Amino acid sequence: MATIFIPTPLRKFTANAAKTEIEAQTIKSLLEELSIKFPELKRYLYAPDGKIPSFINIFVDEEDIRNLDMENTQVKKESVVSIVPAIAGGIDDITFTKGELARYNRHIIIPEFGLEAQKKLKKSKVLVIGSGGLGSPLLLYLAAAGVGTLGIVDFDVVEDSNLHRQVIFGVSELGIPKVEAAKKRLLEINPYIQINVYNERFTKENAMRLIGDYDLVADGTDNFPTRYLVNDACVLSNKTNVYASIYQFEGQVSVFNYQANGVFGPNYRDLYETPPPPGLVPSCAEGGVLGVLPGIIGSLQALEVLKVITGIGEVLSGKLYTFDALSFQSRTFKVGRKKSNPLNGENPSIKELIDYEEFCSVGKIESKIKEISAEEFRELLEKEEDFQLIDVREPHEFEIANIGGELIPLGTIISQGEKIERDKKVVVLCKVGGRSEKAIRALEEQFGFSNLYNLKGGIIHYLNTFHPEMETY
Amino acid sequence: MIRISSSLVENLIQEVESIPEETCGFLLGKTTENENNVLHYKPVANVSTQNRSKHYVIDPKDYLRTEAFSIETQTALIGIYHTHLDWPAIPSETDRLAAFPNVSYVIISLRQLRFSEIKSWRLNDTNQFLEEKIHIITQ
C-alpha cells in the first residue's frame, strides 16, 4: 500500500487526515481510488478534460511526476505520493497603451477612481441582455468607459420604430441584426475593447452558458419571462444582475444578487415573487414609452455596472430606485431578502432553470380565449362571410393604419359594449394582440360574450404578412 | 481571524521591504476552533519565470518541506503570505483563481517598497475571497 500525503488545504475533504493508504500500481489508478475514497477531492484531482489540473503537482517520493511518466508513473508499495498545491498568484497584468491612457485620462485623474479602477474596468466582462432602449445607453457608456469585454445578446433586427429611443442605431442599419449594428457602433467609439455578439434569443437552454463567461450581467430586457430567466440564471451562477426597466413615463433600477462580505443581496424574486397576470403590464411595443426615459434609466444602469466593477461608492443593492419623468420625482425603496424566495430563501424549490413562458402565464385563472390567425382572418375576408371587426387601439394608431374595423379604444370597450354584435363572429384586434385579448376577457366577463375572436399578432402581423406595402408603426 | 504578535509582523515587514519583487512564504502556528495563532513565518523563494514584480510562484518542493516542517514541529500551516508592489492588499483575480480553500492568504502591500497595508483573506464556499481580521498582539 502506497502512502498518500494530503496537503493542509485539502484536508477539509479527508476528514482532516494528512495521510491515507491506497493500493495502486500507477498514479492514474491511485487517483481514481483516492477520489472514490474522498469524493470531494475529485474536483482538485481532475481538470474538466480528465487530466491532472495545472494547479496540482504530484510527487512520487522526491520526484515530480511531470519529470517521470505522468499518470502512468509506477507506484511502489513503499512509495510516498504527495499531492502538492501549486501556490501562485500576483497582480493581474493589466497594462494600457499610450492611446488608452490618453483615452481614459479623465477617469484616471479622479483621485477616488484612478488607474486602479480603470484596470478593473479593462479586466471586467459584462453581458448585456437586450440592446434596445435600455441596452443602447448602457452599451454606449460601458464601451466608452473602457469595460474590457462586452457581450451583447439580442435576436432582433433594427426597425424604424426603434430609433426614437434606441440611440445606438441609425437609419442606415434598418433591417440589420441589432447585435451587428451595435458592435460596429461601439467599436467606432472604443476600438480598445472586445465585443462578443450573440444573435440569438436568451433562453433557458443557452442562459447558463452565456452568463458563465462573464463577471456580471446587465438586464435590459422588456418582458417578464426573460427578466425572471435572467434573474434566476444569475442567482444560480452567483453573478450580480444589474437590473433596470421602464414603462411609459416610469423607470426603475436595482442591483440584484450582489455579493458583499460573503452575503448575497436580494434579487428580483425578493421584489416580485411572481409575475403580474399576463397582459396587465404591457411591453413598450404595446404600452409605448417616452424616448428619453430609457436614456436616463439605461445611463443609471450603466453607472451601477461601473460601481459594481470598480467597488467605488455605494452599490444600489437592497434598494429599488424609481423615477417618474412626469413629476420628476425619484424615490429609493428598501428591498430585503425574503424567506419565501424560491431560489435562495429558507426552502429553495428552484434548483435549475424552469419554463419561464409557462411560469409567467401561471395565475391565468381565465380560460383560454378564442383566437384567429392572420391566415384564417384572410380566408374569412375572402369568403365574404358576415362578421364584425372591432379595433381597440387608440385613434392616432388607427389613423396610421387600419383595415376598416370599428374603432372602440380598449378604455371605452365596456361602456360601448352594446355596439358589439352577439349573433355573428366578432374579430377583435389591436397592434400586436395584447390589448385585444384584454378587451375580449373584459367583454366575456362583463356581458358573457362567446363569439369573440382575438386576431393573433394584431394588425401589424396581418399587414406584414399580406400587405407589406402598407404603412405600419 | 488570525492572531500574530507585533514583533513577528515587524520582522516580516522589514524583511519584505528589502525585496524589490513579489516575495512569498508560509505562516505556521497553532490553531483552535476560531483562532489561528501565527508563531513563525517561513520565507521561500519566488520561482516565477514571469515578471516577478507582479507574480509569485512557490516551488512545490518548498511547499512539501514546509508541510514536513509543520508536522515535525507540531504546528499547522495557517496561511501563505505574499507582497503586492504598488497595488492594494486585495487579492487579484489571478490570486483568486489560483487559491485553495482552508488556508489564509495574507497580502502585504508595499508602496515604493514601504509598508502600506496588510490584509488576510480566505475563500468561501462560492470561491470568493472574504477578508478576515488580523489581530496584532503587542507584548
Side-chain angles (χ1 to χ4, degrees):
Chain A
M1 297 260 260
T3 305
I4 327 284
F5 172 77
I6 310 289
T8 306
L10 301 184
R11 282 178 209 157
K12 188 180 173 182
F13 311 116
T14 61
N16 274 329
K19 284 186 177 149
T20 183
E21 292 191 328
I22 276 175
E23 184 81 62
Q25 261 70 56
T26 63
I27 289 294
K28 189 168 183 283
S29 58
L30 181 139
L31 293 180
E32 283 165 8
E33 290 297 320
L34 188 60
S35 52
I36 292 170
K37 198 164 176 185
F38 304 109
E40 282 184 293
L41 269 184
K42 203 170 173 181
R43 69 186 169 115
Y44 292 95
L45 301 177
Y46 294 97
D49 62 3
K51 297 200 168 124
I52 295 169
S54 59
F55 53 79
I56 288 287
N57 301 299
I58 295 172
F59 278 67
V60 176
D61 298 319
E62 297 294 303
E63 200 58 65
D64 190 335
I65 60 161
R66 290 192 171 88
N67 303 327
L68 298 167
D69 227 351
M70 283 304 285
E71 284 96 332
N72 300 323
T73 303
Q74 297 290 312
V75 179
K76 298 195 195 86
K77 270 188 192 146
E78 64 279 14
S79 296
V80 176
V81 176
S82 306
I83 295 166
V84 185
I87 305 290
I91 299 167
D92 303 315
D93 256 334
I94 296 287
T95 54
F96 293 101
T97 62
K98 270 190 178 168
E100 285 173 287
L101 287 174
R103 166 63 62 92
Y104 304 129
N105 174 275
R106 301 300 191 276
H107 265 169
I108 295 166
I109 60 174
I110 309 174
E112 294 79 11
F113 200 89
L115 197 60
E116 278 170 21
Q118 195 63 49
K119 282 184 180 172
K120 287 181 188 164
L121 291 185
K122 182 166 177 176
K123 228 175 96 43
S124 67
K125 297 176 172 179
V126 178
L127 184 68
V128 176
I129 301 169
S131 59
L134 291 166
S136 288
L138 189 55
L139 286 164
L140 289 168
Y141 278 113
L142 295 183
V147 168
T149 306
L150 276 174
I152 315 171
V153 194
D154 205 316
F155 64 95
D156 252 341
V157 295
V158 181
E159 286 176 41
D160 197 80
S161 68
N162 299 150
L163 300 186
H164 96 299
R165 65 188 186 286
Q166 301 181 13
V167 293
I168 198 168
F169 308 120
V171 170
S172 64
E173 286 147 344
L174 294 179
I176 293 176
K178 283 186 175 176
V179 292
E180 293 300 334
K183 181 178 179 177
K184 194 165 157 259
R185 174 90 176 96
L186 296 175
L187 288 177
E188 187 79 13
I189 293 171
N190 193 345
Y192 304 114
I193 58 172
Q194 165 76 33
I195 301 198
N196 305 325
V197 299
Y198 309 96
N199 190 10
E200 54 194 289
R201 217 177 258 276
F202 190 74
T203 63
K204 76 178 207 207
E205 282 73 31
N206 62 17
M208 296 303 273
R209 172 174 58 80
L210 290 175
I211 286 182
D213 290 336
Y214 293 85
D215 307 324
L216 80 123
V217 174
D219 175 8
T221 57
D222 62 351
N223 63 79
F224 289 99
T226 320
R227 197 166 291 154
Y228 278 95
L229 167 62
V230 173
N231 181 71
D232 292 5
C234 284
V235 174
L236 293 174
S237 50
N238 297 328
K239 301 275 162 93
T240 301
N241 170 17
V242 181
Y243 153 87
S245 76
I246 43 168
Y247 172 62
Q248 290 183 342
F249 299 104
E250 286 172 28
Q252 44 182 245
V253 186
S254 188
V255 176
F256 293 133
N257 205 42
Y258 176 71
Q259 199 179 4
N261 301 320
V263 180
F264 286 98
N267 62 68
Y268 191 68
R269 284 182 186 265
D270 292 305
L271 186 60
Y272 305 112
E273 197 161 326
T274 51
L280 189 72
V281 184
S283 67
C284 289
E286 291 261 346
V289 61
L290 190 68
V292 71
L293 184 69
I296 295 166
I297 300 300
S299 301
L300 293 175
Q301 198 180 5
L303 176 70
E304 286 308 304
V305 172
L306 297 192
K307 280 163 64 187
V308 169
I309 296 170
T310 58
I312 286 169
E314 217 175 282
V315 169
L316 197 65
S317 168
K319 291 171 193 167
L320 176 76
Y321 170 88
T322 67
F323 175 73
D324 177 354
L326 291 184
S327 62
F328 220 92
Q329 263 195 352
S330 51
R331 288 189 181 157
T332 308
F333 300 95
K334 277 192 179 165
V335 183
R337 291 254 318 242
K338 274 191 191 152
K339 286 178 183 168
S340 58
N341 189 312
L343 285 165
N344 57 6
E346 268 181 352
N347 294 305
S349 55
I350 300 177
K351 303 212 165 77
E352 54 184 44
L353 298 176
I354 57 172
D355 184 330
Y356 291 87
E357 292 294 339
E358 193 191 52
F359 171 65
C360 290
S361 48
V362 177
K364 200 196 271 186
I365 333 140
E366 306 100 327
S367 58
K368 219 172 145 38
I369 59 160
K370 291 192 278 292
E371 288 181 326
I372 180 166
S373 70
E375 290 72 21
E376 288 161 349
F377 179 64
R378 171 132 173 126
E379 273 172 38
L380 190 66
L381 287 172
E382 281 169 351
K383 275 195 287 187
E384 290 176 15
E385 191 184 314
D386 190 22
F387 71 98
Q388 189 187 23
L389 183 63
I390 302 291
D391 191 331
V392 299
R393 296 175 302 152
E394 300 300 315
H396 63 274
E397 296 178 88
F398 191 82
E399 238 170 73
I400 302 172
N402 74 75
I403 46 175
E406 230 175 298
L407 180 66
I408 308 178
L410 177 63
T412 63
I413 196 85
I414 295 298
S415 58
Q416 301 197 62
E418 80 283 354
K419 290 190 183 168
I420 291 154
E421 309 264 3
R422 285 192 174 266
D423 47 5
K424 55 180 147 185
K425 213 175 225 180
V426 176
V427 176
V428 186
L429 73 84
C430 68
K431 186 181 178 188
V432 294
R435 278 173 289 171
S436 47
E437 180 180 330
K438 272 163 78 180
I440 293 174
R441 287 197 192 287
L443 289 167
E444 283 179 349
E445 198 175 300
Q446 190 80 18
F447 305 114
F449 281 100
S450 59
N451 54 333
L452 310 179
Y453 291 79
N454 187 26
L455 180 61
K456 254 173 103 173
I459 188 170
I460 296 294
H461 178 65
Y462 173 75
L463 290 178
N464 285 345
T465 312
F466 296 110
H467 300 282
E469 77 288 351
M470 269 182 73
E471 193 186 347
T472 58
Y473 60 104
Chain B
M1 176 166 90
I2 64 173
R3 287 161 69 92
I4 188 164
S5 75
S6 59
S7 56
L8 204 68
V9 175
E10 278 162 27
N11 288 344
L12 173 61
I13 287 170
Q14 215 171 24
E15 193 167 313
V16 299
E17 277 182 339
S18 66
I19 305 169
E21 53 186 44
E22 283 203 7
T23 181
C24 46
F26 295 95
L27 301 170
L28 299 153
K30 295 280 180 194
T31 61
T32 63
E33 211 155 275
N34 315 314
E35 269 181 19
N36 293 318
N37 291 297
V38 178
L39 301 173
H40 318 279
Y41 69 90
K42 208 174 177 320
V44 293
N46 174 0
V47 297
S48 171
T49 51
Q50 296 179 61
N51 182 355
R52 281 202 295 274
S53 66
K54 286 186 171 168
H55 297 276
Y56 79 96
V57 173
I58 291 178
D59 187 332
K61 286 192 172 172
D62 276 332
Y63 181 88
L64 270 181
R65 273 194 280 271
T66 307
E67 288 267 22
F69 177 79
S70 91
I71 290 172
E72 245 169 65
T73 54
Q74 295 190 327
T75 51
L77 175 59
I78 292 173
I80 293 136
Y81 70 85
H82 75 279
T83 53
H84 275 176
L85 303 186
D86 301 309
W87 189 266
I90 297 170
S92 64
E93 188 64 6
T94 312
D95 288 332
R96 190 182 71 85
L97 292 175
F100 280 84
N102 234 20
V103 278
S104 296
Y105 284 81
V106 171
I107 305 177
I108 304 161
S109 163
L110 304 177
R111 304 271 166 182
Q112 268 99 45
L113 288 182
R114 285 271 153 259
F115 172 75
S116 130
E117 55 177 353
I118 180 166
K119 285 185 172 164
S120 182
W121 306 83
R122 252 174 197 255
L123 281 187
N124 71 357
D125 292 341
T126 53
N127 259 2
Q128 301 294 318
F129 265 121
L130 293 190
E131 192 178 349
E132 63 178 347
K133 231 176 146 175
I134 301 181
H135 192 77
I136 296 176
I137 311 149
T138 42
Q139 278 111 350

